[in-house]
Amino acid sequence: MRRYNPFYFVLESLKGLKRNGVMTFASVAVLLSCLVVMGGFALMVYNINFNLEKLDALNEIVVFTEYDASIEEIDELAGQIAALDNVESTSTKYKEQILADLKEENPDLYGDVTDEENPLSASITITYKSNEGVPELDFQLRQLSGVRKIRNDLNVATTIGNLKSGIMLVFIWFLVILFVVSIFIIINTIKLSVFSRRNEIGIMRYIGATGWFITLPFIFEGIIIGTVAALGGYFLIRGAYSYVIAKVVSSIQILSFIPMADLSGLLLLAFFGIGIATGVVGSSISLGKYLKK
Amino acid sequence: MRMLHSLRSFERRICRLSEFLAVTSGARRLRFRTGYTFLSEKGCAPQIPIFMIEFRNVKKSYPTGTVALKGVNLHIDDGEFVFIVGQSGAGKTTLMKLLLCEEKATSGTIIVGDTNVTRITNRKIPYYRRKLGVVFQDFRLLPNKTVYENVAFAMQVVGTPNKMIRRRVPAILNTVNLADKHNSFPNEISGGEQQRVALARALANNPSVIIADEPTGNIDPQMSLEIMNLLVKINKLGKTVIVVTHEQSLVDYYKQRVIMIGDGVVAEDHVGGMFE
């Protein structure tokens, strides 16, 4: 078994990149831009979903009991509700407590109302596990005795669900298109590199070089382009994300962002993956016809 | 004594078996399998050419409809020196392309050593080409590599260890009288010298056959003789040399076997010059 010197391949690929300096720079720049756009969009989608999930958490069903229900009856009802499938947790507020809260919030309006005159009924607030199970839960609640009224935001839940899947679909298509564009650009660069070395490739073939011996330096070229673009893209996105968070969080307090530290590992991995895959696929495609004979 | 006798008897049997297998399946493969050298002092090894080239009724037509070869039959023995001549369009280039596996024959069989070139798979072509050393009219040297690097490159490509490259390249450059030019770039040396570098590169991997396609086409007559003398010298070292040319004076001067291709077939095949 003959051994090939691995430095030969790395050296040859670096020479190739240097020889087509302008095109190398262009491919790194374009791939970097694609990665930044992809990364930026991914972060946006992540954050939108993160905020939507928070809205999700606000989704609650409130069950109001009959006006004359006793504390025991209310507790029993709360117990029955807690035993239902889709129920995460329940919290009961008796009418006296609600009135006390109202008095505290607005003493002028409710200050005079005595416990005997209390027009309110007790409420049981339910946090549920999944949006999908809300209609079923709603039906189950209506079957229970002692329930006077149910308030839920089923429409909001459905809208949020639809929005999330819509955003995800757009994101995936966007990713596919940018990936294809990147591959075409890499193919062009490597093709130029192959073209400028076609004599060398011809001679290599006559001497008896195997296909992979000829291909490897070009694949390394693709990998180097991909890696440089991935690293550049990562640092650019990182800087931009921190800047945007600093600006937006201070002005729009309702929005919250996932901290960069939670995302950086995944982002770097994805960038390297996409960058290197683009490089390898691009180089292999551009060399195909030169290796047929 | 008896043991020695039985060993000799066993050796004779192996020889006979080798002879039979060599004829049926190609000598080189057999030599590899049995480790037998064919050069036994007992003379049991037959005079079997170990790297013969054979074309059997080879036809080649291109998709455009051009018929380049109409049924070529020829046989070149191991260690022969052959000129292939013919007018432009006679089919010389196609013959070379078929030999180098650049094109596939439409029909017929081409055997080179132990390889059936007409049935070779794409994956095996590089390994087959390592048995052939090729020299082109336009030298095809890499302009950004020195003379030394151009020769070393051929060895790098097939994975020769660096230690071996460092030892072998100077020796080959010495053979083609270019030892003092090893650091020059191709554009710094003459056409004849460039062709000698190309010859050195062809020899780098110790091929069994040297194929020279118009090797003197781009160089002056003085240098042409030098290149041809080198090819003769290489032939005397035991390698088969095939020279494709249309230079009548050279062919007549060297009085070697001449195969003339005309209209897609072997028109003439004789020894001793073309136009005598």
Side-chain angles (χ1 to χ4, degrees):
Chain A
M1 180 74 190
R2 292 191 160 183
R3 280 193 200 153
Y4 289 94
N5 185 356
F7 293 110
Y8 166 82
F9 299 107
V10 179
L11 209 69
E12 285 302 306
S13 52
L14 288 174
K15 274 186 206 166
L17 290 171
K18 196 179 158 201
R19 203 174 304 163
N20 302 304
V22 178
M23 204 55 210
T24 304
F25 178 74
S27 345
V28 169
V30 174
L31 187 60
L32 188 144
S33 319
C34 282
L35 284 174
V36 166
V37 174
M38 266 191 249
F41 200 69
L43 288 180
M44 207 167 78
V45 169
Y46 255 104
N47 277 301
I48 290 174
N49 278 351
F50 179 65
N51 280 289
L52 286 179
E53 266 159 30
K54 269 188 16 193
L55 281 182
D56 241 20
L58 291 176
N59 269 349
E60 296 163 344
I61 296 177
V62 185
V63 173
F64 296 96
T65 61
E66 298 291 353
Y67 293 109
D68 54 356
S70 67
I71 290 177
E72 291 76 30
E73 283 169 343
I74 295 167
D75 286 345
E76 196 194 332
L77 182 62
Q80 286 173 353
I81 291 171
L84 293 173
D85 267 352
N86 196 19
V87 176
E88 177 89 39
S89 64
T90 58
S91 80
T92 313
K93 267 190 174 180
Y94 303 109
K95 59 181 183 182
E96 293 77 15
Q97 198 184 342
I98 301 170
L99 183 65
D101 288 348
L102 286 172
K103 276 182 179 175
E104 200 177 318
E105 270 177 37
N106 208 335
D108 296 340
L109 200 62
Y110 301 105
D112 298 340
V113 184
T114 62
D115 276 349
E116 285 73 36
E117 296 166 343
N118 189 347
L120 304 167
S121 66
S123 71
I124 303 166
T125 306
I126 304 164
T127 319
Y128 51 75
K129 287 176 190 159
S130 82
N131 274 332
E132 288 74 31
V134 171
E136 196 189 333
L137 182 61
D138 186 73
F139 178 76
Q140 287 168 336
L141 291 173
R142 283 179 202 286
Q143 307 304 310
L144 298 173
S145 64
V147 174
R148 179 175 61 85
K149 187 181 163 192
I150 296 171
R151 194 186 75 200
N152 72 37
D153 297 318
L154 193 55
N155 288 342
V156 175
T158 322
T159 313
I160 287 173
N162 288 344
L163 205 63
K164 269 162 75 177
S165 51
I167 288 171
M168 226 38 214
L169 197 73
V170 171
F171 174 62
I172 287 166
W173 273 110
F174 207 66
L175 208 70
V176 169
I177 291 167
L178 284 177
F179 188 64
V180 171
V181 168
S182 310
I183 284 190
F184 270 103
I185 286 150
I186 297 273
I187 288 175
N188 246 354
T189 311
I190 307 284
K191 259 189 184 167
L192 274 183
S193 189
V194 171
F195 187 74
S196 67
R197 292 179 64 186
R198 64 195 184 285
N199 287 338
E200 204 173 322
I201 292 172
I203 293 165
M204 283 163 107
R205 282 179 44 226
Y206 280 119
I207 295 168
T210 49
W212 69 263
F213 183 88
I214 300 172
T215 318
L216 225 52
F218 295 102
I219 292 200
F220 276 171
E221 277 185 38
I223 289 176
I224 292 170
I225 291 175
T227 311
V228 172
L231 273 178
Y234 170 72
F235 285 113
L236 216 67
I237 278 276
R238 207 189 149 111
Y241 190 68
S242 311
Y243 178 78
V244 169
I245 287 183
K247 282 275 169 196
V248 174
V249 165
S250 58
S251 53
I252 313 169
Q253 294 189 345
I254 196 170
L255 288 179
S256 53
F257 287 88
I258 311 173
M260 191 64 206
D262 290 1
L263 294 170
S264 56
L266 189 71
L267 195 71
L268 198 62
L269 203 72
F271 273 24
F272 271 126
I274 296 172
I276 291 171
T278 322
V280 171
V281 173
S283 328
S284 313
I285 294 175
S286 23
L287 258 170
K289 75 167 181 179
Y290 287 90
L291 297 177
K292 274 182 188 153
K293 279 175 190 168
Chain B
M1 194 66 189
R2 182 175 288 178
M3 200 169 172
L4 191 65
H5 180 76
S6 58
L7 265 174
R8 281 193 178 150
S9 149
F10 178 67
E11 190 191 15
R12 271 196 298 276
R13 259 184 265 160
I14 288 281
C15 280
R16 277 199 293 273
L17 180 68
S18 306
E19 195 177 329
F20 170 72
L21 287 176
V23 174
T24 53
S25 66
R28 176 146 289 205
R29 192 167 58 209
L30 171 88
R31 199 166 60 157
F32 171 68
R33 279 184 183 163
T34 60
Y36 209 85
T37 61
F38 289 107
L39 293 168
S40 157
E41 55 178 340
K42 293 228 175 215
C44 79
Q47 292 301 307
I48 299 168
I50 58 167
F51 211 87
M52 58 178 191
I53 296 170
E54 190 153 359
F55 279 62
R56 292 182 203 146
N57 198 24
V58 175
K59 293 177 184 170
K60 173 69 187 173
S61 49
Y62 290 99
T64 49
T66 314
V67 181
L69 299 179
K70 294 174 181 169
V72 170
N73 286 296
L74 64 86
H75 180 99
I76 300 169
D77 272 338
D78 187 38
E80 261 198 285
F81 190 114
V82 178
F83 282 111
I84 294 182
V85 298
Q87 290 181 329
S88 295
K92 302 191 301 281
T93 308
T94 303
L95 202 75
M96 287 299 108
K97 280 184 174 173
L98 293 178
L99 207 53
L100 291 171
C101 259
E102 258 191 88
E103 295 284 348
K104 293 250 176 208
T106 312
S107 66
T109 310
I110 304 168
I111 307 282
V112 178
D114 57 357
T115 311
N116 184 342
V117 181
T118 31
R119 284 195 186 164
I120 197 166
T121 56
N122 280 350
R123 203 173 58 80
K124 284 187 179 166
I125 290 176
Y127 302 99
Y128 161 71
R129 281 182 179 151
R130 289 176 192 182
K131 296 173 191 170
L132 315 172
V134 196
V135 179
F136 299 96
Q137 182 177 1
D138 54 356
F139 323 131
R140 299 199 191 170
L141 299 176
L142 297 169
N144 54 344
K145 289 191 195 290
T146 62
V147 166
Y148 179 96
E149 286 166 348
N150 263 288
V151 180
F153 179 64
M155 298 174 79
Q156 257 176 348
V157 158
V158 297
T160 311
N162 282 341
K163 202 174 155 189
M164 175 85 87
I165 295 176
R166 280 196 295 272
R167 209 170 51 202
R168 192 162 156 75
V169 175
I172 300 169
L173 287 177
N174 212 23
T175 310
V176 297
N177 307 324
L178 277 176
D180 54 331
K181 301 273 182 177
H182 68 280
N183 266 336
S184 308
F185 284 93
N187 62 353
E188 295 167 354
I189 56 177
S190 71
E193 285 169 332
Q194 287 187 50
Q195 194 58 298
R196 278 189 273 154
V197 178
L199 201 53
R201 184 182 61 193
L203 286 170
N205 292 321
N206 198 20
S208 307
V209 181
I210 296 287
I211 299 170
D213 189 5
E214 303 277 6
T216 55
N218 273 355
I219 48 181
D220 59 58
Q222 175 73 29
M223 285 292 175
S224 297
L225 277 179
E226 217 174 291
I227 294 292
M228 287 308 300
N229 285 339
L230 269 175
L231 285 167
V232 171
K233 186 173 153 189
I234 289 163
N235 174 246
K236 283 187 178 148
L237 291 173
K239 302 207 182 294
T240 307
V241 175
I242 301 172
V243 180
V244 178
T245 185
H246 60 264
E247 284 193 50
Q248 172 190 334
S249 54
L250 280 181
V251 177
D252 286 345
Y253 180 79
Y254 284 96
K255 300 199 187 315
Q256 299 283 351
R257 181 178 169 195
V258 182
I259 297 171
M260 185 187 250
I261 306 288
D263 200 24
V265 292
V266 176
E268 278 183 56
D269 185 351
H270 57 89
V271 179
M274 180 185 174
F275 301 98
E276 282 196 336

